[in-house]
Amino acid sequence: MSETPENTAPQAREHAARAGQLDAADPLGATVRDRFVLDDTVYLDGNSLGALPRAVPDRIADVITREWGELRIRSWDESGWWTAPERIGDKIAPLIGAAPGRVVVGDSTSINVFKAVVGGIRMAGKGCTEILVDATTFPTDGYIARSAARMTGLAVRPVEPARIADEVTERTALALVNHVDYRTGQLNDLPGITTALHSAGALAVWDLCHSAGALPVGVDAHHVDLAVGCTYKYLNGGPGSPSYLYVRESLQERFDSPLPGWNSHAEPFGMTPDYAPADGIVRGRVGTPDILSLLALEAALDVWDGVSIEDVRTKSLALTDFFLDCVAAYVPPGRVRSVTPQDHGRRGSQVSLACSPMRAGSVERGGTPIAAEVMAELIRRGVVGDFRHPDVLRFGFTPLYTSFADAERAAWVLGEVLRALPEEPAVAGAGR
Ligand SMILES: Cc1ncc(COP(=O)(O)O)c(C=O)c1O
């Protein structure tokens, strides 16, 4: 925390001291945090791009100089490049509660959403006429689902996750739902929604982008049918690192990929004109894997050695609780409002604070909402979160490397930034 006279206020001292105690007692503390390249910045954007694990640069240098530079094409076999999508899928599997052989890595999340939705529709009963899509979804899922529905002649019905159990009918092929809402951080009821979908004969397709690596998912235990997720957030795989696709074991034989590339063929080097899918999760592959990104991800996943996802969840809830306490203590009343559920059972690993305009017309000033200005100032002062339209300040907490001291400092700086703004009444309805 920066040394300002206000820091000596008893309240501030109390929270800073508490942060010290919580960090000292944290089982994920310094050892796991040390596995990452970090600096003095308070980095609360790991729910967008995870920090760099220390092991990655050397591993990538070796892949480039030795595996590619020296072994060249031999590396497809000798360095295990060809089997990397399944091998790395098995490394992600325990983090989402999947047994080996159920996760394959490759392509972007958007592409895996396409495979999962069309593959799911192809497995659904003949009389199905619609798919349900989380009405609050990250936009790409909605775009892809609508296109998939157009291609398969089904309708798309947007439904709030909490309403899916009531809205699903025997005509529903599947529902595509975000496990954690990217904007509010709300955790949706994966077990309950999945069970309700199954009771109506529909499949459950989950987007795990904002939950995998932040909390236990339990895809096998909760009988999820298909799931997708990215690896550049809480899995720290790096910018644009490949996504993964999960297919429930009992469905794999019926999974008919809409993108049946040669990498998913039973005999990829047979070069036959006819397509015959490989057995198992391999049929989720498409074309040549993006080896550099894939192997960076593999090295990044080593940070999970000896780490339990349950400990991660415990710390995530403690961090977000503590951050909210600090915000309540440091931020002038009425300046922000948490849109992230208080209830632990409904909270992901982020805190989203609605920060509405405080000056008439300010939302229009240069077209920049006040929350965007506040976040820009936070970043300038070394606290990195992000802004989501129209008024959300998003703070992601990555338990592997976020400390309680980080949470306290972020709230303190937020208080400083908001106190510096002139106090004028909120503009009713503006910026919503
Ligand atoms: C919930 C969710 N789904 C999908 C995506 C898009 O993923 P990709 O860009 O890998 O296709 C994102 C990206 O942030 C996301 O947050």
Side-chain angles (χ1 to χ4, degrees):
M1 185 191 292
S2 55
E3 285 305 318
T4 69
E6 282 150 302
N7 279 6
T8 58
Q11 209 178 28
R13 275 210 310 264
E14 197 183 295
H15 283 82
R18 179 93 188 106
Q21 289 159 2
L22 290 165
D23 281 328
D26 172 16
L28 301 175
T31 37
V32 179
R33 185 178 163 98
D34 260 10
R35 296 176 188 175
F36 291 87
V37 176
L38 296 165
D39 54 22
D40 288 345
T41 306
V42 174
Y43 189 64
L44 300 181
D45 218 357
N47 56 335
S48 198
L49 176 66
L52 171 66
R54 277 190 201 284
V56 170
D58 284 351
R59 174 65 185 128
I60 285 305
D62 182 54
V63 172
I64 292 174
T65 54
R66 189 179 56 83
E67 296 186 1
W68 178 15
E70 294 168 24
L71 295 176
R72 290 177 283 266
I73 201 148
R74 290 165 57 191
S75 274
W76 283 106
D77 290 326
E78 292 176 28
S79 304
W81 288 0
W82 184 263
T83 49
E86 297 82 58
R87 183 177 72 244
I88 300 167
D90 283 349
K91 217 164 161 175
I92 290 173
L95 298 175
I96 61 166
R102 295 173 194 182
V103 178
V104 67
V105 184
D107 311 311
S108 66
T109 315
S110 303
I111 289 173
N112 280 320
V113 167
F114 180 75
K115 292 181 216 167
V117 171
V118 178
I121 291 170
R122 288 177 174 177
M123 285 190 259
K126 285 268 175 286
C128 291
T129 55
E130 64 166 16
I131 59 173
L132 307 184
V133 176
D134 179 343
T136 53
T137 187
F138 186 86
T140 205
D141 299 44
Y143 307 152
I144 302 263
R146 278 197 290 279
S147 176
R150 252 194 310 141
M151 288 169 57
T152 52
L154 270 63
V156 174
R157 200 151 53 92
V159 178
E160 297 280 331
R163 299 276 316 147
I164 288 175
D166 295 322
E167 296 285 339
V168 62
T169 75
E170 72 285 354
R171 293 184 312 281
T172 308
L174 58 84
L176 172 63
V177 199
N178 288 220
H179 194 191
V180 172
D181 185 307
Y182 75 100
R183 205 174 146 268
T184 64
Q186 175 175 305
L187 173 64
N188 291 317
D189 176 11
L190 180 144
I193 294 172
T194 302
T195 302
L197 288 165
H198 288 171
S199 304
L203 297 182
V205 184
W206 286 92
D207 180 330
L208 309 178
C209 282
H210 287 270
S211 59
L215 53 100
V217 179
V219 282
D220 282 353
H222 301 305
H223 312 291
V224 164
D225 299 297
L226 296 138
V228 301
C230 67
T231 60
Y232 43 76
K233 302 183 195 293
Y234 296 104
L235 299 181
N236 312 299
S241 58
S243 156
Y244 56 89
L245 172 71
Y246 165 88
V247 183
R248 183 143 74 95
E249 191 186 28
S250 59
L251 295 181
Q252 288 182 359
E253 215 181 324
R254 291 166 54 209
F255 180 68
D256 178 6
S257 173
L259 295 172
W262 73 291
N263 271 227
S264 63
H265 196 283
E267 280 190 62
F269 292 94
M271 304 292 170
T272 58
D274 295 329
Y275 180 75
D279 286 337
I281 195 64
V282 176
R283 67 177 63 182
R285 288 175 66 160
V286 184
T288 306
D290 183 345
I291 290 296
L292 297 183
S293 290
L294 202 50
L295 299 187
L297 168 64
E298 184 173 34
L301 289 168
D302 285 345
V303 297
W304 291 92
D305 285 354
V307 173
S308 98
I309 193 74
E310 284 74 23
D311 283 349
V312 165
R313 176 60 169 164
T314 303
K315 182 174 171 188
S316 157
L317 291 172
L319 274 169
T320 47
D321 276 344
F322 182 64
F323 177 67
L324 285 165
D325 284 351
C326 293
V327 168
Y330 297 161
V331 173
R335 288 284 166 111
V336 293
R337 174 179 55 87
S338 175
V339 295
T340 302
Q342 273 297 123
D343 175 3
H344 283 181
R346 295 179 57 231
R347 190 193 302 167
S349 199
Q350 77 188 51
V351 172
S352 295
L353 301 175
C355 176
S356 296
M358 282 169 277
R359 283 161 291 171
S362 63
V363 79
E364 303 302 338
R365 200 155 21 94
T368 315
I370 197 83
E373 290 178 21
V374 168
M375 184 49 74
E377 183 57 20
L378 282 172
I379 293 170
R380 216 181 54 73
R381 297 185 190 204
V383 174
V384 179
D386 58 28
F387 158 74
R388 285 293 175 269
H389 201 76
D391 62 357
V392 171
L393 302 171
R394 235 177 36 147
F395 300 94
F397 293 83
T398 303
L400 297 182
Y401 56 77
T402 305
S403 67
F404 290 89
D406 287 337
E408 194 267 349
R409 189 172 137 210
W412 177 264
V413 177
L414 178 64
E416 280 183 334
V417 170
L418 291 174
R419 270 195 302 276
L421 290 173
E423 275 191 62
E424 281 181 38
V427 182
R432 301 260 93 219

